[in-house]
């Protein structure tokens, strides 16, 4: 059983941290991830630097990425972002479509239908430029403004996003409210013959259970899980919450459950302390503190 990991600490992790991390420190973090065997990394977001100052050095980070056997992903919010991703020589783009209108308006300034239309235009242009495309359906497990998101609504958004033929369909628990029963229900909805990727936050300590549930639903198509070294990041709607599920903790769980990821956990363990120094607080990941077992 194989599950691939998409490392999102340089993007989703750092974007949701108050501290600004230098380009050199970002590239050092990325270097450790690559040497541990991580082969897909969401490295940057092409957001407006005034809106997301943590990502203001996206071009400089992209210029410093080691090219070769790693597929580099940039989060793209609009066609200008796509232009930047192409110019920066990235391999993949990830476009977010929020499942609820209220959150979509707050996040992207447009209702979901307009975000889907924009994703569709971006997908066509990205494909023509030779980039792999992922569409992420965000707030699929719950919305900070509208609460429960009806399954019919998520189904409709997923199907409309899938119509633009992404290489991968990502389902995100953006605010970390989901549980494994929802993973199974959404898997049935999202099983459209497109490889799936899952994005979990550990806001309510359910992220690892959700990730394992998603991994266990592996069929014939590849499955990818997003995670963040140290579990860094946060949730803009729960100020004291932790971030993404931690890569090293997830790997421990997956490997001891018989999954192959191609990643060596051990080189990742020192990242917990290093990220703690850079961010000015202890990171949520537990494995770096507890240690591997067996030692
Ligand atoms: Zn996230």
């Amino acid at each position: 059983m194989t599950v691939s990991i998409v490392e999102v600490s340089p993007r989703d992790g750092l974007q949701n941290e108050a501290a600004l991390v230098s380009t050199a420190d970002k590239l050092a973090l990325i270097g450790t991830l690559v040497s541990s065997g991580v082969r897909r990394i969401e490295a940057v977001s092409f957001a407006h630097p005034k809106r997301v100052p943590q990502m203001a050095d996206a071009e400089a980070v992209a210029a410093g990425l080691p090219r070769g056997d790693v597929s580099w992903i940039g989060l793209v919010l609009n066609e200008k972002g796509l232009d930047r991703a192409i110019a920066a020589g990235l391999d993949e783009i990830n476009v977010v479509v929020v499942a609820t209108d209220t959150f979509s308006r707050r996040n992207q300034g447009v209702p979901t239908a307009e975000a889907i239309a924009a994703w569709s235009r971006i997908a066509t242009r990205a494909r023509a430029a030779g980039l792999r495309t992922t569409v992420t359906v965000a707030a699929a497990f719950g919305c900070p403004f509208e609460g429960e998101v009806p399954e019919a609504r998520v189904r409709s958004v997923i199907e409309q996003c899938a119509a633009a033929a992404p290489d991968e369909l990502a389902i995100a628990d953006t605010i970390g409210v989901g549980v494994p029963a929802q993973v199974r229900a959404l898997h049935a909805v999202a099983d459209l013959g497109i490889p799936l990727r899952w994005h979990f936050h550990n806001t309510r300590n359910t992220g690892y259970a959700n990730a394992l549930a998603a991994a266990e639903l592996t069929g014939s198509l590849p499955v990818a899980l997003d995670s963040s070294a140290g579990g860094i990041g946060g949730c803009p709607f729960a100020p004291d919450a932790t971030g993404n599920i931690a890569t090293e903790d997830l790997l421990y769980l997956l490997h001891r459950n018989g999954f192959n990821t191609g990643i060596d956990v051990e080189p990742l363990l020192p990242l917990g302390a290093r990220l703690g120094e850079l961010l000015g607080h202890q990171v949520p990941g537990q494995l770096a503190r507890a240690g591997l077992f067996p030692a």
Side-chain angles (χ1 to χ4, degrees):
M1 296 182 292
T2 297
V3 174
S4 70
I5 299 295
V6 179
E7 174 65 37
V8 298
S9 58
R11 203 283 299 167
D12 201 22
L14 294 180
Q15 179 176 327
N16 287 297
E17 293 280 352
L20 291 178
V21 173
S22 73
T23 307
D25 286 330
K26 289 181 182 181
L27 290 171
L29 161 68
I30 287 167
T32 304
L33 294 164
V34 171
S35 64
S36 73
V38 180
R39 287 297 170 263
R40 287 180 78 197
I41 301 181
E42 195 162 294
V44 292
S45 170
F46 294 102
H48 195 287
K50 283 216 178 86
R51 222 185 142 200
V52 188
Q54 294 92 336
M55 297 289 118
D57 61 348
E59 273 77 6
V61 171
L65 297 173
R67 305 299 167 130
D69 51 1
V70 176
S71 194
W72 300 103
I73 308 169
L75 188 78
V76 164
L77 296 108
N78 47 39
E79 291 191 67
K80 185 164 188 300
L82 173 64
D83 292 336
R84 291 173 64 190
I86 294 169
L90 295 195
D91 304 296
E92 307 185 32
I93 54 155
N94 181 14
V95 177
V96 171
V97 171
V98 184
T100 61
D101 282 322
T102 313
F103 194 177
S104 182
R105 281 202 180 88
R106 298 259 193 143
N107 196 52
Q108 277 143 300
V110 295
T112 305
E114 280 183 44
I116 293 170
W119 142 245
S120 185
R121 289 192 299 273
I122 292 168
T124 303
R125 287 193 46 213
R127 230 184 337 267
L131 276 73
R132 271 175 55 89
T133 60
T134 297
V135 62
T136 294
V137 177
F141 290 76
C143 172
F145 307 107
E146 298 186 18
E148 302 274 16
V149 185
E151 192 179 292
R153 169 77 183 184
V154 182
R155 180 189 298 273
S156 166
V157 173
I158 286 174
E159 287 175 354
Q160 291 175 70
C161 288
D167 292 299
E168 180 180 69
L169 178 61
I171 311 295
D173 184 10
T174 310
I175 58 169
V177 291
V179 295
Q182 273 180 297
V183 175
R184 289 185 281 274
L186 283 176
H187 181 271
V189 167
D191 194 9
L192 301 173
I194 300 167
L196 287 177
R197 171 173 160 191
W198 299 86
H199 182 91
F200 297 115
H201 281 249
N202 201 37
T203 316
R204 290 169 178 81
N205 251 350
T206 57
Y208 300 95
N210 293 340
L212 186 61
E216 286 176 338
L217 289 165
T218 305
S220 54
L221 291 169
V223 171
L225 293 170
D226 285 4
S227 62
S228 180
I232 63 168
C235 177
F237 303 97
D240 293 328
T242 59
N244 299 105
I245 51 175
T247 303
E248 61 277 20
D249 294 25
L250 176 65
L251 291 173
Y252 179 84
L253 174 66
L254 290 174
H255 294 168
R256 302 239 341 141
N257 268 280
F259 290 94
N260 172 40
T261 65
I263 302 170
D264 187 6
V265 185
E266 214 163 351
L268 296 177
L269 295 183
L271 283 181
R274 178 67 187 134
L275 285 165
E277 284 167 22
L278 289 173
L279 301 174
H281 63 79
Q282 195 177 55
V283 300
Q286 306 263 65
L287 190 73
R289 290 201 286 277
L292 279 171
F293 177 85

